[in-house]
Amino acid sequence: ANLTGTLPAISGANLTGITSNPPGNRNLWINGDQRVAQRGVGPTSGAGYKTVDGWKIYFHNCGSYGPTTEQISLTSSDTGPWAKGFRKAYRVKTASSGGAANADGQINVQYIVEAQDLATSGWEYTSSSSKLTLSFWIRTNVANNVGLYTKAEDSSGNNMFTMETGDLTADTWTYVTKVIPGASNLVFNCDNGQGWTVQFIPFYGTNFSASDAVLNTWKSSDGKIKPTTDNWITSNNAYMDITGVQLEVADTATDFEHRSYQEELQRCWRYFYLQRSNCLNAGRGTGSSDCNFTIITPVNMRNTPSITLTAGSGMRHYGIDSHSDSTTAPTVVAWRDTSNHILCNQGGHSGVNDDRVLTLMPNGSASEGIELSAEL
C-alpha cells in the first residue's frame, strides 16, 4: 500500500531451489526401460518380434547362425543406467562363433511408433524449428560406432534421418542424445498405421553404408549410413545392450519418464497380449468340431490380431457332455477397434454339440497360452 511510482524490474537470476518438472506422458516410446517381456526373456533366435516388447529384429547374410535377443538384468556395476533407476536392458548378441562381415549382410533392431501418436504429439513436424529428441543408454562389448536412422513412413521424398552414436568404448555404458528437427515435407497420418521407424544398426555391410553418407539431416530413403565396425559382427558373442529409451517433443533431452510396470504393460497390450493357460473363454459349438468363443483383452488392440498357440499349448473345450483338445490355431471372426471383445473360431475339436454353450481355455504349462499380435 505504501509503494508508489514505477517499480524496477525484478531479476530471478540469483533465485535458488526452483525446479522444473517436465510434463508426464511425454515419452512416445513404450517400454523404454525394457521391463516388459511377455514373449519371454530369452535368449531367443529368429527374426521379428522377440523377447522384450516393442523391439523387432531383422538380420540378413551375417553368418551361419543368426543373432539372438534377450532381456538382461542390470546390477549396481552397470555404472550410469543403474543410478538412473534402470534394472533391465535389451540385448542383441552374435553367435558364439561370431558372424561374417558380408557386403549385403546386416543386423538391425527397430521400434515403430504408431502414426496417430506422432500426429497428435504436439510436434510441429513440418517446421525445422520444432524438434524431437531421442535419448538412450547403449553399451557394446566390442568397440563400435552404432548407426541409427529414423524414417517417417507416411512421407515421401526426404523422409529418412540418419545418425550415429559416435565411437563407443567397449564394455562401457554411454548416454546418447539426438535432436531431430521437423521438415516441410513430413507427413504423419492420424491413424493406427506405421508412423515412425527407428533402427539401431550394430552392423551394416558395405552395400548399405558409405564413408561420405550424410548424417543429421533429412534425405531420401537410400538407407546409407556411415560404416559400422566389422569387428563387432565377426567377434564371438559380441553384444549390444540398450535401455532408457525416450522419444519426446523437446529441444533437449529431459530425465527419463519412469512409469509403473502396470502402466507400461497396458500400453504393450495394445500390440501384443498373451492369454496364459487356464483362462476361461465363453463360447458355443458350431457343427460337430468347431467352437466359436470370445477373448476379452485388457485393452483395445491396435488392429485385427493374428492368433497363434505357443509351443506345447492347445485349446481345451468343455461342454455339457464332453471335452477335447485342439492344437489348430484359432482365427478371428470379428474385431472392432471400439471394443476389447474378439470373436474367434477354432476347429479340430471332437464331441462338439452344435449351438451348445461351452467354455474354452488355453491348455498347457503356466508360461504357455494363446498369443494375440497386432504389432506394427
Side-chain angles (χ1 to χ4, degrees):
N2 297 322
L3 295 177
T4 61
T6 302
L7 297 176
I10 299 174
S11 171
N14 296 320
L15 296 176
T16 60
I18 297 176
T19 60
S20 176
N21 294 321
N25 293 320
R26 67 189 182 281
N27 191 0
L28 298 171
W29 199 289
I30 298 171
N31 198 31
D33 60 2
Q34 325 304 327
R35 282 189 294 166
V36 181
Q38 295 183 81
R39 294 176 175 88
V41 298
T44 303
S45 60
Y49 287 96
K50 307 287 180 179
T51 63
V52 175
D53 280 58
W55 286 98
K56 182 180 182 181
I57 183 170
Y58 175 80
F59 55 89
H60 173 73
N61 201 14
C62 55
S64 301
Y65 302 95
T68 60
T69 60
E70 60 185 301
Q71 181 199 64
I72 64 168
S73 296
L74 305 184
T75 68
S76 57
S77 64
D78 288 288
T79 303
W82 175 268
K84 297 295 184 180
F86 300 108
R87 298 297 183 263
K88 301 292 182 181
Y90 175 74
R91 170 172 289 182
V92 55
K93 186 177 181 180
T94 65
S96 58
S97 56
N102 295 316
D104 64 341
Q106 63 172 292
I107 296 177
N108 68 71
V109 292
Q110 60 184 263
Y111 179 91
I112 306 172
V113 182
E114 198 168 327
Q116 59 188 344
D117 290 342
L118 277 165
T120 61
S121 66
W123 179 33
E124 296 180 42
Y125 47 82
T126 59
S127 171
S128 60
S129 61
S130 185
K131 311 289 199 311
L132 278 185
T133 295
L134 174 68
S135 56
F136 55 92
W137 288 92
I138 188 169
R139 173 179 65 181
T140 58
N141 66 333
V142 176
N144 198 0
N145 187 351
V146 175
L148 299 98
Y149 81 71
T150 65
K151 183 179 179 184
E153 300 291 350
D154 292 326
S155 308
S156 59
N158 295 330
N159 64 343
M160 178 179 174
F161 194 92
T162 56
M163 302 164 282
E164 60 184 8
T165 59
D167 294 332
L168 301 175
T169 303
D171 296 310
T172 302
W173 282 103
T174 301
Y175 182 64
V176 177
T177 65
K178 295 294 176 181
V179 179
I180 304 164
S184 60
N185 67 298
L186 294 185
V187 175
F188 294 99
N189 298 327
C190 193
D191 59 25
N192 64 356
Q194 295 185 359
W196 179 275
T197 301
V198 183
Q199 293 198 15
F200 293 75
I201 308 165
F203 170 69
Y204 241 17
T206 54
N207 287 0
F208 310 113
S209 58
S211 59
D212 60 349
V214 177
L215 297 178
N216 304 313
T217 189
W218 289 101
K219 64 176 186 176
S220 61
S221 298
D222 62 3
K224 296 287 186 180
I225 64 170
K226 288 289 185 72
T228 55
T229 304
D230 287 350
N231 285 348
W232 188 88
I233 184 65
T234 57
S235 296
N236 300 342
N237 296 311
Y239 60 77
M240 175 182 70
D241 298 336
I242 300 172
T243 194
V245 189
Q246 182 150 287
L247 181 67
E248 58 188 313
V249 180
D251 294 338
T252 58
T254 65
D255 288 344
F256 183 84
E257 180 188 354
H258 288 279
R259 297 187 283 244
S260 71
Y261 177 84
Q262 184 60 43
E263 184 177 0
E264 216 66 80
L265 178 61
Q266 286 181 315
R267 292 170 186 251
C268 292
W269 279 336
R270 176 167 171 79
Y271 305 96
F272 180 81
Y273 173 61
L274 171 61
Q275 186 186 73
R276 299 188 184 276
S277 293
N278 300 321
C279 290
L280 294 176
N281 302 283
R284 68 178 180 86
T286 304
S288 60
S289 60
D290 282 26
C291 301
N292 282 348
F293 63 99
T294 300
I295 296 177
I296 302 176
T297 56
V299 301
N300 297 358
M301 300 199 75
R302 182 191 67 87
N303 209 336
T304 306
S306 61
I307 301 180
T308 57
L309 296 170
T310 60
S313 180
M315 292 288 288
R316 172 165 292 184
H317 101 268
Y318 290 92
I320 294 176
D321 303 313
S322 63
H323 71 266
S324 68
D325 293 344
S326 173
T327 56
T328 301
T331 58
V332 175
V333 176
W335 169 87
R336 293 184 179 88
D337 59 2
T338 56
S339 174
N340 65 336
H341 290 58
I342 301 171
L343 180 61
C344 306
N345 173 270
Q346 185 188 36
H349 290 275
S350 61
V352 175
N353 291 299
D354 186 48
D355 219 21
R356 185 73 63 83
V357 173
L358 49 79
T359 57
L360 288 96
M361 71 176 185
N363 184 36
S365 68
S367 62
E368 295 166 346
I370 183 171
E371 297 179 341
L372 291 86
S373 177
E375 299 281 12
L376 288 154

